[in-house]
Amino acid sequence: MKAKNVVIIGAGPAGLTAAIYTARANLQPVVLEGEPSSTSDQPGGQLMLTTDVENYPGFPNGIMGPELMASCRDQAIRFGSTMKTEKASRVDLTSRPYKIWVGDPTSTTPTIDTHTVIIATGARSLMLNLERENDFLGRGLSTCATCDGFFFRNQHIAVIGGGDSAMEEALFLTRFASKVTVIHRRNRLRASKIMQERAFSNSSIDFLWDSVVEEYLGESTLSGLQVRNLVKDELSTLDVSGCFIAIGHLPNTSLFIDQLEMKPNGYLITEEGSTKTAVEGVFACGDVQDDKYRQAVTAAGSGCMAAIDAERYLEALEH
């Protein structure tokens, strides 16, 4: 089996941008875009769960998330990328060419050999896993204030969580909302002191302590939350038109445990100013290595970087 030049694992903004660039460099990339049934690495990434995308450059009237990803996919195919709607089940990065399995991970024969690997498996927001959660995503329910806060001008919004991310979301949303209510299951925040002080001093933020959301209310769009007070064991209704879940993110890095260096939170480590991992010829881009920005446009930018890094690595191998 002849080794491929580049295999890209993942097909969100980072993976598809890497595919476009490596295909234009005549590297004939193979993209393992994941499986539609998978919640962790579905083709198109998290934008497939997003309705209106208004902060991606080049679309003054906005664009639907799935439409944006479909266009990126078509562009990658146009330049010669091979798309496989399959999920990588195992990788071996201990020696070159690197080996990737699709399907049965116990097979003795890998599915693909490759000289370089670009990892773009992304990350997923931790959710409450309540009934109808997926139905309300993009219809009042969100996991990204930077992406969707603009849509909730002069409205009452809830933020679920008690860490730094939740406080950042709440503070950002006060730019648009008439009121932000933070719902936290404990009676004190986990956020850093400075973030707590900023949140407590903001008159637009209220707090519901010792409380959890038990049900999303509404028909086609979110109209409220059913909340249970854990101390009093009482149910109440919170009338909100928007709710942001901010209880953390989980990078899709289980394939690379014990093979690549990771931060304590599971994100892949890359060289500063580069997409190179500690394994030569293996690159990581997008949300799988970015625990700071987590935006479609930054993911696309790092996908471009990974493609150029891979191209230069292959050129050096030839010489």
Side-chain angles (χ1 to χ4, degrees), residues 136-157:
F136 284 117
L137 278 172
R139 295 174 174 84
L141 186 63
S142 175
T143 59
C144 177
T146 308
C147 310
D148 298 330
F150 178 83
F151 298 116
F152 296 93
R153 285 190 178 276
N154 303 315
Q155 298 178 41
H156 184 190
I157 304 173

Side-chain angles (χ1 to χ4, degrees), residues 15-216:
L16 291 177
T17 302
I20 291 167
Y21 271 78
T22 51
R24 281 176 54 81
N26 201 30
L27 296 178
Q28 300 172 323
V30 174
V31 182
L32 299 178
E33 58 179 347
E35 298 171 345
S37 60
S38 173
T39 56
S40 61
D41 57 358
Q42 65 175 341
Q46 292 188 82
L47 282 187
M48 297 301 289
L49 303 174
T50 306
T51 50
D52 292 320
V53 179
E54 292 202 330
N55 56 3
Y56 199 90
F59 301 95
N61 298 316
I63 185 171
M64 300 290 281
E67 182 184 355
L68 175 60
M69 288 297 90
S71 295
C72 291
R73 187 180 189 274
D74 290 345
Q75 190 173 1
I77 292 171
R78 175 193 167 200
F79 292 117
S81 301
T82 298
M83 311 298 295
K84 293 184 177 293
T85 310
E86 299 173 322
K87 181 179 178 180
S89 57
R90 175 184 163 198
V91 299
D92 182 352
L93 306 178
T94 56
S95 62
R96 295 194 302 266
Y98 302 120
K99 299 169 179 59
I100 300 175
W101 281 257
V102 170
D104 182 7
T106 64
S107 172
T108 57
T109 305
T111 309
I112 306 173
D113 289 347
T114 180
H115 295 299
T116 64
V117 180
I118 295 178
I119 300 167
T121 48
R124 61 189 184 275
S125 300
L126 296 176
M127 305 297 286
L128 302 183
N129 297 320
L130 297 178
E131 190 176 352
R132 299 184 66 201
E133 195 161 62
N134 288 336
D135 294 341
F136 284 117
L137 278 172
R139 295 174 174 84
L141 186 63
S142 175
T143 59
C144 177
T146 308
C147 310
D148 298 330
F150 178 83
F151 298 116
F152 296 93
R153 285 190 178 276
N154 303 315
Q155 298 178 41
H156 184 190
I157 304 173
V159 172
I160 302 172
D164 278 354
S165 293
M167 295 309 101
E168 289 173 6
E169 299 276 275
L171 288 163
F172 179 83
L173 289 168
T174 59
R175 304 179 188 184
F176 310 101
S178 59
K179 180 181 177 182
V180 176
T181 298
V182 173
I183 304 170
H184 187 42
R185 64 183 306 115
R186 298 179 177 83
N187 61 4
R188 59 178 177 267
L189 299 173
R190 293 181 292 105
S192 59
K193 290 294 183 183
I194 189 168
M195 293 305 296
Q196 291 190 41
E197 290 170 3
R198 289 175 183 172
F200 289 144
S201 64
N202 193 308
S203 61
S204 297
I205 300 178
D206 286 345
F207 293 85
L208 270 183
W209 302 108
D210 299 311
S211 298
V212 295
V213 174
E214 291 206 339
E215 185 180 353
Y216 302 114

Side-chain angles (χ1 to χ4, degrees), residues 279-296:
V279 176
E280 196 173 279
V282 178
F283 310 90
C285 56
D287 287 9
V288 75
Q289 54 84 49
D290 174 19
D291 57 355
K292 182 177 180 181
Y293 297 105
R294 293 194 295 261
Q295 299 295 305

